[in-house]
Amino acid sequence: MHKVTTIVLVGSFLPAALAHIAMWHPSVYGFNGDGYSIAEPLSHKGFDQWWMHGQKNKKPKDGAVLELPAGGQVTVELACNKQYTSYGGEGGGNNPCPPDTPSMHSGSPVKDSQLRECGLAIAYKSDINEAQPEEFTVFSVNQKCVKDKNTVFQVPAGMPACPGDKCICAWFWQGQESANEMYMNGFDCKISNPGNKVLAKPQVPVECRDGNNCILSAKQPMYWANKEHQNVKFSGDHERKPAYNDKWGFRDGAQDIFEAGAEQSPEQPAPEQSGPNTPDQPEQPLQPTPTGTPQIPKGCPAPVTVTVTVSKRKRPTDRPKL
């Protein structure tokens, strides 16, 4: 009789179950899913699949939001699986993926020179279905990302309050030692201790490895590696992947995102940004101008001018003075 020995190769299943990184917080869209899917990389996908990681309909429960203290900092948890966070059963320590260091895509052990940095972005919209890619502004960068599970982001002072007491935010990253892919998780956020500065219109980032032509003002996140709605081009050089670092105009910490000298009333939240298909102002009913000429909506044909002759009444004779 032959003896049969069964060997369970646990390690061989790690890449399929772990292998990548996501942001974990109850405010994240898809947080209440299987604990891993939102960590999968985004590559060669259509817009609806990669935008917000395809999780727009999986809203945070009980109105969960992540508070962002203007002028302060916020700590978020980055991990390869929900179970290795404070929301899982194995959240001790500060390793983003205890059984699989290569998940950080920065060498094993992790090499600081291989870290590709990550960023937080915000859109001043309260409805995720209305938030457009062009409306997001990267407001904070951590250039030691992903290295620690508990990752700190500095929040610029003066950020205005959100419309409806909520904004739409997102976390972005891409690894160095990996395929051509990006990572994104959307979440609901709120500015606490708000200021009265005005955000500048975010520009598309450009590579500036020699230090020239860097865009240091407000910038959009980098959308790439997918089939649709890309805003930056990858040269194909593995060492020149898009990254949230100085070579792409992103400095470590809080970003310079405001219009110089512009302020708004501190009592008022920032107005919702206008997307490509959203008018700046709601349509108003026609109102007469002081001269009695009606306002003509933009795009309507010019009015027809009609000349009317009115006969003048004869002025009465002045009465003689008594």
Side-chain angles (χ1 to χ4, degrees):
M1 182 175 182
H2 297 284
K3 182 179 180 180
V4 178
T5 302
T6 302
I7 301 175
V8 179
L9 301 176
V10 177
S12 66
F13 293 98
L14 286 176
L18 303 171
H20 306 292
I21 301 292
M23 173 182 159
W24 300 94
H25 186 269
S27 64
V28 173
Y29 285 73
F31 173 81
N32 298 294
D34 58 15
Y36 171 70
S37 293
I38 64 172
E40 293 177 341
L42 302 169
S43 178
H44 303 292
K45 297 182 180 296
F47 178 72
D48 290 338
Q49 293 176 297
W50 73 260
W51 180 242
M52 296 295 168
H53 215 291
Q55 303 288 314
K56 288 198 304 180
N57 294 326
K58 298 179 180 179
K59 298 182 178 181
K61 289 186 177 180
D62 303 320
V65 297
L66 179 64
E67 287 202 11
L68 305 172
Q73 63 184 37
V74 62
T75 300
V76 302
E77 294 186 57
L78 306 177
C80 61
N81 195 292
K82 188 177 180 179
Q83 73 184 76
Y84 299 117
T85 72
S86 61
Y87 308 101
E90 303 176 52
N94 202 27
N95 190 327
C97 196
D100 189 31
T101 299
S103 289
M104 284 83 92
H105 298 308
S106 302
S108 183
V110 172
K111 301 175 183 177
D112 285 358
S113 61
Q114 295 294 301
L115 295 173
R116 300 306 290 172
E117 306 82 29
C118 58
L120 297 181
I122 188 170
Y124 276 80
K125 287 288 183 68
S126 57
D127 185 346
I128 194 170
N129 294 306
E130 295 181 358
Q132 302 297 319
E134 296 81 6
E135 296 170 332
F136 278 78
T137 300
V138 177
F139 65 87
S140 188
V141 163
N142 186 307
Q143 292 190 351
K144 295 294 183 182
C145 178
V146 174
K147 184 177 183 179
D148 298 320
K149 179 184 71 176
N150 297 308
T151 302
V152 177
F153 290 92
Q154 304 296 325
V155 183
M159 290 188 72
C162 294
D165 210 29
K166 185 185 80 171
C167 287
I168 305 300
C169 287
W171 171 77
F172 293 89
W173 174 63
Q174 52 271 319
Q176 171 61 28
E177 294 187 357
S178 67
N180 297 335
E181 57 196 24
M182 59 170 277
Y183 293 78
M184 175 188 189
N185 297 122
F187 60 98
D188 286 342
C189 58
K190 173 184 178 181
I191 302 296
S192 59
N193 188 35
N196 60 345
K197 293 186 178 180
V198 177
L199 269 66
K201 183 178 180 179
Q203 302 180 61
V204 175
V206 295
E207 187 179 20
C208 53
R209 298 178 69 85
D210 57 1
N212 297 321
N213 302 318
C214 289
I215 298 175
L216 301 179
S217 56
K219 291 179 287 299
Q220 299 174 18
M222 291 179 285
Y223 309 128
W224 70 290
N226 289 285
K227 295 179 180 179
E228 299 174 325
H229 215 110
Q230 301 183 98
N231 65 349
V232 297
K233 294 182 178 180
F234 174 44
S235 66
D237 184 342
H238 197 68
E239 297 297 324
R240 299 179 65 175
K241 282 185 177 181
Y244 292 93
N245 58 25
D246 297 83
K247 295 176 182 178
W248 285 83
F250 293 97
R251 295 174 175 172
D252 194 27
Q255 303 296 292
D256 180 5
I257 59 175
F258 304 112
E259 290 185 9
E263 295 185 350
Q264 62 185 28
S265 172
E267 293 81 15
Q268 297 295 326
E272 294 210 4
Q273 295 164 307
S274 298
N277 300 317
T278 304
D280 291 337
Q281 296 291 339
E283 184 177 350
Q284 299 293 331
L286 297 180
Q287 298 291 338
T289 64
T291 60
T293 303
Q295 298 174 347
I296 305 303
K298 187 175 181 180
C300 292
V304 178
T305 303
V306 178
T307 303
V308 179
T309 304
V310 180
S311 60
K312 296 183 178 180
R313 296 179 60 187
K314 184 177 181 181
R315 183 177 178 181
T317 306
D318 295 336
R319 295 181 180 180
K321 297 182 180 180
L322 298 177

